[in-house]
Amino acid sequence: MNDKFNIIGHIKWELHDKDGNLKDWGEHSNQVQHDVMNYFSDMLVSGTVNTIDEMAIGSGSGQTASATALASHVSHEAISSGSGLTDKGTDGVEAQASFTNVAATITEAGLFPDGYAGGKMYFYNDSAFGSGVTLQTSDTLTITWSISWS
């Protein structure tokens, strides 16, 4: 028997103005980083793993699957189980964070264990934002990341 294990990430974002009106949105599949593959190995061997605890946004692009950080960090938000990180059982995991008080053009996002500066990145996307999503300080950018496996 030759079973194959696949991890799939999908990112969806919505940009709202200060009054809650939808200004823009997008969605795209994402790149799975080598660190997340190491996560599953660590889980099977040692039982000790670091869970996703931050989502970050940036203004760079071009990170490879072995990258451990965004190309150009702008902001990050803590997430945890029950506060932005949801276990969907056999259907996977969903991570969500909202970014406010940020004035930048966003072109990339990532999910991280051990905080943004921890040296590992599990998921990365620099395609969902097209040529960039411009945030004003009064805007709110909400990103929902769905992670599933089969």
Side-chain angles (χ1 to χ4, degrees), residues 58-143:
S59 59
S61 65
Q63 297 299 71
T64 66
S66 60
T68 59
L70 299 179
S72 182
H73 175 268
V74 169
S75 183
H76 57 273
E77 290 291 330
I79 55 177
S80 62
S81 181
S83 181
L85 192 60
T86 306
D87 181 349
K88 299 287 189 175
T90 58
D91 292 331
V93 173
E94 185 175 272
Q96 186 175 69
S98 293
F99 298 87
T100 57
N101 297 314
V102 175
T105 298
I106 303 306
T107 55
E108 63 180 344
L111 288 176
F112 300 86
D114 305 326
Y116 174 74
K120 292 181 181 178
M121 180 165 56
Y122 283 172
F123 294 90
Y124 176 77
N125 192 299
D126 67 353
S127 301
F129 305 102
S131 59
V133 175
T134 303
L135 276 72
Q136 308 296 323
T137 54
S138 60
D139 292 338
T140 300
L141 175 64
T142 300
I143 298 173

Side-chain angles (χ1 to χ4, degrees), residues 24-82:
D24 202 356
W25 69 277
E27 59 184 306
H28 201 275
S29 295
N30 73 267
Q31 178 171 289
V32 176
Q33 299 300 106
H34 291 168
D35 283 334
V36 82
M37 299 303 189
N38 292 335
Y39 166 87
F40 283 99
S41 296
D42 291 346
M43 181 178 60
L44 292 171
V45 173
S46 69
T48 304
V49 294
N50 298 323
T51 60
I52 295 168
D53 63 9
E54 283 194 350
M55 184 183 300
I57 55 175
S59 59
S61 65
Q63 297 299 71
T64 66
S66 60
T68 59
L70 299 179
S72 182
H73 175 268
V74 169
S75 183
H76 57 273
E77 290 291 330
I79 55 177
S80 62
S81 181

